[in-house]
Amino acid sequence: MIKFLDLQKINLAHQQEIEERILKTFRSGWYLLGEEVKNFEQNLSKFIGSKNVIGVANGLDALRLIFRAYIEMGVMQRGDEVIVPANTYIASILAISDNGLKPVLVEPDIATYNIDIEKIEEKITSKTRAILIVHLYGRAVWSEKLTDLAKKYNLKIVEDNAQAIGSTCNKRRTGNLGDAAGFSFYPGKNLGALGDGGAVATNDDELAKVVRTLANYGSSQKYVFDYIGYNSRLDEIQAAVLDVKLKYIDDENAKRRNIAKRYIAEIKNPKIILPQMPENEQEHVFHLFVVRTEKRDEFQNYLTENGVQTVIHYPIPPHKQACYREWNNLSFPITEKIHKEVLSLPMSPVMTGDEVNRVIGIVNLWK
Ligand SMILES: Cc1ncc(COP(=O)(O)O)c(C=O)c1O
């Protein structure tokens, strides 16, 4: 069986370093808000070029905290609207709703699976305060049109960078393109912890301060509470592991890109629509290699029978979920088509050349 993602192998590639750092943290007797988190925050901040990084408990919290902080700062208020791609992972949308803000869904571009920037302006109202862009599947989304819209309507651009750590757009890393960004270190992400983890990045010092305070019960000073806050912290052990893996992220992303290039060049089955490599290859870190076909379920069964594990990202669009019942009758044809047709092939920095050959051969033989 060719695994969709072999997490054990991914982490064993750094076994010695990870074990040493975990042991060091274990023996230190200090497990929260210590040197490891501080150190990782600084290194991630250098890596993406952003002034402030705050380690938090997970990617959903990172985004929730950004919107909550903007509310506390008076930049937005409950009931305001935030534009978000209709085909994103549900967490992007949950972060908006959880703050009493209204998600306004915009269709994606079928060629990139990212938000269709051309369709944003028609959704902007007097209540719109932000655009939450999502660099979905690892592909960066950015353009001058987006920044022009933000300027014209005085909107914040928040990035959901959960899937795209390391990708670069106009020589700037994703997560340092907009006003603030949320990162996820869920184990399967390109930079994955051994459990949950997340981070907020921003060049806005005030926002950073409010996020840090909110994430620590709303307290900026021990036993003094400025906000009704949360407990959302990155553990010392997870920070230590992430700090080891951060050193290798560019190499590992390059390996993913090379596998993607092979898939794109060598999968010749006319029934399969392949993802496009952006003109600037650095804009894609192939968190997922997502193909599309009309008979998706048949294709997935065929691959399973032939020993290739695949996953659907994602089978049900957010507007068709029970948790957003009020949207169930809305129509987003491109989003719905994507959810019906996509399938993610095995992709990871530890896939062997032989495994890639086998996937390509099996996909090409599908009739
Ligand atoms: C696009 C996107 N946003 C947000 C999240 C939430 O991250 P987490 O699972 O760390 O809460 C994820 C991943 O799960 C994601 O893929």
Side-chain angles (χ1 to χ4, degrees):
M1 165 73 83
I2 300 172
K3 284 191 178 174
F4 172 71
L5 186 68
D6 189 339
L7 280 183
Q8 188 183 36
K9 197 170 171 195
I10 287 175
N11 287 317
L12 283 175
H14 312 294
Q15 180 172 8
Q16 199 184 339
E17 268 188 281
I18 289 176
E19 285 182 356
E20 279 169 14
R21 290 286 287 274
I22 289 178
L23 189 61
K24 186 171 160 239
T25 310
F26 166 64
R27 288 180 174 165
S28 76
W30 195 278
Y31 307 118
L32 282 169
L33 301 183
E35 286 307 309
E36 289 293 354
V37 168
K38 208 182 281 173
N39 185 44
F40 173 65
E41 286 177 348
Q42 280 170 4
N43 287 334
L44 182 58
S45 154
K46 257 185 248 156
F47 177 77
I48 59 167
S50 184
K51 226 167 129 194
N52 306 283
V53 167
I54 303 111
V56 299
N58 54 65
L60 171 58
D61 274 9
L63 296 169
R64 282 167 77 203
L65 284 159
I66 291 168
F67 289 110
R68 175 70 194 281
Y70 277 136
I71 290 172
E72 295 298 342
M73 289 160 70
V75 172
M76 43 189 89
Q77 52 186 9
R78 296 183 202 281
D80 282 344
E81 295 172 4
V82 177
I83 289 188
V84 62
N87 62 321
T88 185
Y89 180 59
I90 198 86
S92 324
I93 302 175
L94 295 177
I96 301 169
S97 318
D98 183 66
N99 278 294
L101 297 161
K102 186 177 168 220
V104 175
L105 307 179
V106 170
E107 285 267 57
D109 175 346
I110 191 91
T112 63
Y113 305 116
N114 274 327
I115 192 166
D116 188 340
I117 293 171
E118 295 304 317
K119 291 187 180 151
I120 293 179
E121 193 164 16
E122 66 202 54
K123 296 285 181 98
I124 294 176
T125 72
S126 59
K127 291 202 143 203
T128 311
R129 295 289 172 269
I131 304 170
L132 175 57
I133 55 169
V134 184
H135 307 295
L136 200 69
Y137 305 153
R139 182 176 177 140
V141 55
W142 194 251
S143 80
E144 225 176 80
K145 174 92 194 260
L146 191 67
T147 47
D148 287 350
L149 283 175
K151 259 190 225 130
K152 183 170 168 193
Y153 295 99
N154 192 25
L155 309 176
K156 296 290 180 194
I157 302 180
V158 179
E159 299 174 72
D160 181 339
N161 199 31
Q163 301 192 358
I165 188 166
S167 51
T168 305
C169 214
N170 301 335
K171 303 205 172 112
R172 286 173 73 180
R173 301 270 191 188
T174 54
N176 188 29
L177 299 170
D179 295 286
F183 291 69
S184 164
F185 307 122
Y186 174 82
K189 294 293 194 268
N190 288 28
L191 180 63
L194 306 184
D196 274 317
V200 171
T202 179
N203 288 307
D204 178 339
D205 293 341
E206 193 195 346
L207 179 71
K209 187 164 167 254
V210 179
V211 165
R212 200 178 280 287
T213 305
L214 281 168
N216 189 33
Y217 309 104
S219 165
S220 53
Q221 206 184 320
K222 202 160 186 174
Y223 302 134
V224 178
F225 302 94
D226 308 333
Y227 311 107
I228 301 171
Y230 312 93
N231 173 359
S232 183
R233 301 181 290 219
L234 180 65
D235 292 347
E236 285 284 284
I237 282 190
Q238 299 302 347
V241 172
L242 290 167
D243 198 52
V244 169
K245 293 180 72 180
L246 180 62
K247 290 185 288 183
Y248 304 101
I249 188 75
D250 277 338
D251 279 353
E252 294 189 344
N253 282 341
K255 286 183 184 151
R256 287 173 180 269
R257 213 176 276 124
N258 284 336
I259 294 169
K261 279 189 200 164
R262 286 209 49 205
Y263 279 157
I264 290 171
E266 297 172 48
I267 293 178
K268 304 277 187 201
N269 191 325
K271 285 161 78 178
I272 308 293
I273 299 168
L274 296 163
Q276 295 175 5
M277 180 65 87
E279 215 170 291
N280 172 4
E281 293 176 1
Q282 305 298 315
E283 287 178 14
H284 209 323
V285 292
F286 289 94
H287 171 55
L288 298 170
F289 190 90
V290 179
V291 302
R292 204 150 52 78
T293 182
E294 277 176 17
K295 296 199 169 144
R296 189 263 317 276
D297 295 344
E298 232 175 71
F299 181 46
Q300 185 174 37
N301 289 340
Y302 161 83
L303 292 175
T304 309
E305 280 160 18
N306 284 279
V308 178
Q309 207 178 35
T310 56
V311 180
I312 300 169
H313 296 93
Y314 301 92
I316 306 169
H319 71 281
K320 295 289 183 194
Q321 298 284 355
C323 64
Y324 288 117
R325 256 176 220 96
E326 67 276 24
W327 298 339
N328 286 177
N329 290 327
L330 298 182
S331 163
F332 291 94
I334 300 171
T335 298
E336 284 157 33
K337 184 176 172 63
I338 288 171
H339 286 77
K340 248 185 248 145
E341 296 186 351
V342 287
L343 189 67
S344 305
L345 299 184
M347 167 57 75
S348 87
V350 294
M351 269 185 91
T352 63
D354 180 54
E355 285 173 324
V356 178
N357 289 340
R358 277 157 56 208
V359 174
I360 292 168
I362 291 165
V363 170
N364 281 338
L365 285 175
W366 183 53
K367 292 208 175 60

